[in-house]
């Protein structure tokens, strides 16, 4: 019978730091038998995406472990007084509630948001526009002087670059981009809407791609006269929906996408 050996304990935190592994608590533990016949180093006997920790292999956390954002159902009275139900993805409790904790496509560090996401609130606590033209708010509004540059800021767990799927009139002059996020071990497509622009940036057109720091457009007050600001909205496309085949109004229809509290996916200021 083979005798079992007890190898020296290797600090997981030290290994993670040396290998450039992202921070996070160790997850599922897989036991590995150690015998005299196993002449290879301990690290070589552990499966990919694991590290040895004593006599077990510990699976490393990764983007695949990011939880899938779950949609909830809420409702409010629309402008005609009808009770309207919709799906929405509320802020996850572990995400900071303060809007100042996040990075935005405009240069702003404090008190950037004057109107935030409220579609997860009771009907009576949701925003009502002047003359009840609009009900509820599924975005953040960032007031800035007209002409302020808007640049691409990737979302957390974003895979690849953003793709422009619409440029034209909607929330005033609007640019809509699609990006793919890794979520719950799957890839999910999200839309980001930049509204009320004075103009899109040169070269921004249907089908173009945007890398971090690329210009998107300029803050304005189109369809919001006297209140120059950026309307920044995030929505998760439903499975099988292809944004480029839809009008902008259809893109944000409940049957095609689910409105998401932007704080779930915006990068935090402490995130590199």
């Amino acid at each position: 019978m083979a005798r079992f050996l007890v190898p020296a304990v290797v600090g997981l935190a030290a290994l993670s730091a040396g290998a450039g592994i992202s921070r996070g608590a160790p997850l599922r533990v897989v036991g590995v038998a150690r015998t005299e016949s196993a002449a290879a180093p301990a690290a070589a006997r552990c499966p990919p995406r694991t590290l040895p920790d004593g006599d077990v292999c510990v699976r490393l956390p990764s983007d695949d472990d990011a939880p899938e954002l779950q949609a909830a159902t809420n409702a409010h009275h629309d402008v005609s007084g009808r009770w309207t139900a919709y799906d929405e993805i509320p802020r996850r409790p572990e995400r900071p509630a303060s809007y100042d904790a996040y990075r935005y496509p405009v240069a702003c560090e404090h008190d950037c948001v004057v109107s935030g996401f409220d579609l997860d609130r009771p009907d009576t606590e949701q925003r009502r526009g002047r003359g009840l033209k609009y009900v509820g708010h599924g975005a953040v509004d960032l007031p800035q002087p007209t002409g302020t540059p808007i640049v691409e800021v990737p979302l957390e767990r974003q895979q690849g670059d953003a793709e422009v799927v619409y440029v034209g009139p909607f929330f005033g002059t609007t640019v809509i981009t699609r990006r793919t996020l890794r979520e719950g071990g799957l890839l999910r497509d999200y839309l980001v809407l930049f509204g009320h622009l004075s103009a899109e940036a040169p070269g921004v057109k249907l089908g173009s791609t945007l890398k971090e720091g690329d210009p998107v457009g300029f803050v304005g007050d189109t369809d919001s006269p006297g209140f120059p600001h950026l309307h920044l909205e995030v929505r998760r496309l439903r499975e099988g929906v292809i944004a480029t085949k839809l009008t902008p109004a259809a893109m944000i229809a409940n049957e095609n996408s689910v409105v998401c509290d932007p704080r779930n996916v915006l990068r935090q200021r402490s995130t590199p």
Side-chain angles (χ1 to χ4, degrees), residues 27-53:
L27 301 178
R28 186 176 57 197
V29 175
V30 181
V32 177
R34 313 297 177 120
T35 71
E36 285 184 320
S37 61
R45 296 195 297 270
C46 282
R49 301 293 311 166
T50 67
L51 284 177
D53 189 13

Side-chain angles (χ1 to χ4, degrees), residues 170-171 176 191 193 231 233 235 237 246-259:
F170 189 41
F171 292 109
I176 304 178
L191 298 176
L193 289 75
H231 171 96
E233 183 169 341
R235 304 184 71 93
L237 282 171
L246 302 174
T247 65
M251 289 183 197
I252 69 168
N254 191 58
E255 63 268 23
N256 293 318
S257 65
V258 181
V259 66

